[in-house]
Amino acid sequence: MSFPFALAVHGGAGTILPEQMSAQLEANIRAALAQAVNAGHKILAAGGDALDAAVAAVKVLEDSEHFNAGKGSVLTAKEMVEMDASVMHGLQMQVGAIAGVRHIKNPVELARDVMHHSAHAFLISEGAEEFAFKQGHLFTEQDYFFTDRRYDQLMVLKESGDSALSEASYPDDNKHGTVGAVALDQQGNLAAATSTGGIANKRFGRVGDSAIIGAGTLAENGNVAISSTGVGELFIRKMVASDIAARMRYLGEDVKTASETVIHGELKTLGGEGGVIAIDKQGEIHFALNCAGMYRASIDIEGKLSIKIFANE
Ligand code: ASP
């Protein structure tokens, strides 16, 4: 028997306001989201695996300079890019994660390779890159990731001494964010993938939730797949993805109730601004956010495409 299939993506959440975005930028972002969700959906429609679909969708967003992942990643206090990513396949709870890589064009593919081709779950910095080059990833110069916009943003933050979500607290009408995808394939597999440049002006090898299974990424067959975006420290403390999955598993909550409860609960009270995309075992998709906007798109089990940016859409 073949199962319904569906996929959703996000491109980050935060202070995303219509008045801060030009029509052209909004159109470009919506086009990139559509391209990403279509790339993943094509794989699902052909009977492909949920994780392959999620990775293909995230790769499109990593390659777009409109989002804080891959090209267009935010800059650290040392004026370089350091990226984190993770993937999870729900069939056997397989995971792969990487953090602090500086020269890998598509970190989500490296996370997938850690899952498929290493004996480990999580590799960091130089070690992760050493593994990457053995797997055939090419050394990508920092110049490739660097954008003037990110440099200007860093200069503003350095002056104030803050670090910031790519979407927040910066007078920049070009909004960008962490990216992720969740998918249900025709075999009933659930998968999730997340990739980020982290937060601007980060120091000391800071790693956020995007690399952490159970916080930024989670997939369990028969239950749910989740990808998060937001203030990573809080998403780690509240184990956001894991908490949503646990509510569904033990309390029998549906995907909407569980996601909304966690995103608008203590997470928000503690300052955990952000959101999640989630898909359950029937292919029901839910977007939950507690801030002004989240770049998001989906193709549901009926094949209907939806692209949204602002919270009230
Ligand atoms: N969650 C990411 C991090 O803390 C940032 C984001 O989603 O924009 O690294």
Side-chain angles (χ1 to χ4, degrees):
M1 191 181 101
S2 109
F3 283 72
F5 58 97
L7 175 125
V9 303
H10 71 77
T15 314
I16 305 171
L17 299 167
E19 58 271 24
Q20 291 178 340
M21 204 182 295
S22 69
Q24 186 56 56
L25 180 68
E26 188 179 328
N28 290 346
I29 286 174
R30 287 183 190 269
L33 290 168
Q35 195 192 335
V37 90
N38 278 315
H41 193 260
K42 211 167 110 188
I43 292 174
L44 296 176
D49 182 72
L51 186 61
D52 290 340
V55 168
V58 166
K59 186 177 177 192
V60 169
L61 299 173
E62 285 180 338
D63 290 343
S64 163
E65 65 175 63
H66 293 301
F67 305 97
N68 171 24
K71 185 165 181 62
S73 288
V74 295
L75 299 177
T76 67
K78 292 193 174 152
E79 298 177 18
M80 56 176 77
V81 161
E82 279 180 3
M83 298 164 290
D84 310 329
S86 62
V87 300
M88 184 161 184
H89 192 291
L91 179 60
Q92 292 180 313
M93 320 292 276
Q94 283 176 291
V95 302
I98 52 111
V101 299
R102 296 176 177 170
H103 305 101
I104 305 300
K105 184 166 176 272
N106 291 110
V108 72
E109 292 187 324
L110 179 54
R112 183 205 53 199
D113 288 346
V114 169
M115 183 186 112
H116 281 314
H117 305 300
S118 83
H120 310 294
F122 197 169
L123 302 178
I124 61 163
S125 52
E126 284 93 350
E129 294 200 353
E130 196 185 321
F131 171 77
F133 303 138
K134 285 210 162 89
Q135 290 298 316
H137 290 257
L138 299 177
F139 181 96
T140 304
E141 294 288 354
Q142 282 270 316
D143 285 358
Y144 164 78
F145 303 102
F146 192 91
T147 57
D148 288 344
R149 182 168 51 244
R150 293 308 189 191
Y151 185 73
D152 296 345
Q153 177 188 38
L154 179 65
M155 292 304 113
V156 171
L157 288 169
K158 275 195 162 171
E159 221 153 85
S160 63
D162 289 336
S163 55
L165 277 187
S166 55
E167 313 307 330
S169 321
Y170 176 64
D172 171 4
D173 66 354
N174 299 303
K175 301 299 185 182
H176 309 268
T178 288
V179 307
V182 292
L184 172 71
D185 70 25
Q186 297 191 45
Q187 290 71 46
N189 293 310
L190 286 162
T194 311
S195 178
T196 191
I199 54 172
N201 204 20
K202 63 184 179 179
R203 296 182 295 165
F204 314 127
R206 181 265 187 197
V207 177
D209 62 313
S210 308
I212 311 286
I213 300 299
T217 302
L218 184 129
E220 292 176 356
N221 272 19
N223 193 25
V224 67
I226 298 158
S227 173
S228 315
T229 173
V231 182
E233 284 68 14
L234 268 299
F235 276 65
I236 291 171
R237 283 165 58 189
K238 290 303 298 172
M239 299 169 274
V240 166
S242 170
D243 204 18
I244 294 169
R247 295 188 74 91
M248 294 176 66
R249 200 182 324 119
Y250 301 128
L251 297 178
E253 287 184 353
D254 60 36
V255 64
K256 180 177 175 193
T257 308
S259 308
E260 293 290 333
T261 304
V262 171
I263 290 299
H264 292 283
E266 209 183 0
L267 174 74
K268 172 77 174 169
T269 321
L270 291 172
E273 183 182 84
V276 293
I277 55 172
I279 185 169
D280 73 9
K281 63 180 179 200
Q282 272 103 28
E284 178 74 26
I285 290 165
H286 188 67
F287 302 103
L289 59 153
N290 62 25
C291 47
M294 178 164 79
Y295 303 126
R296 56 205 190 276
S298 59
I299 299 182
D300 68 13
I301 53 173
E302 314 289 345
K304 188 168 159 268
L305 171 70
S306 150
I307 304 172
K308 294 181 178 173
I309 297 182
F310 309 109
N312 57 7
E313 270 184 270

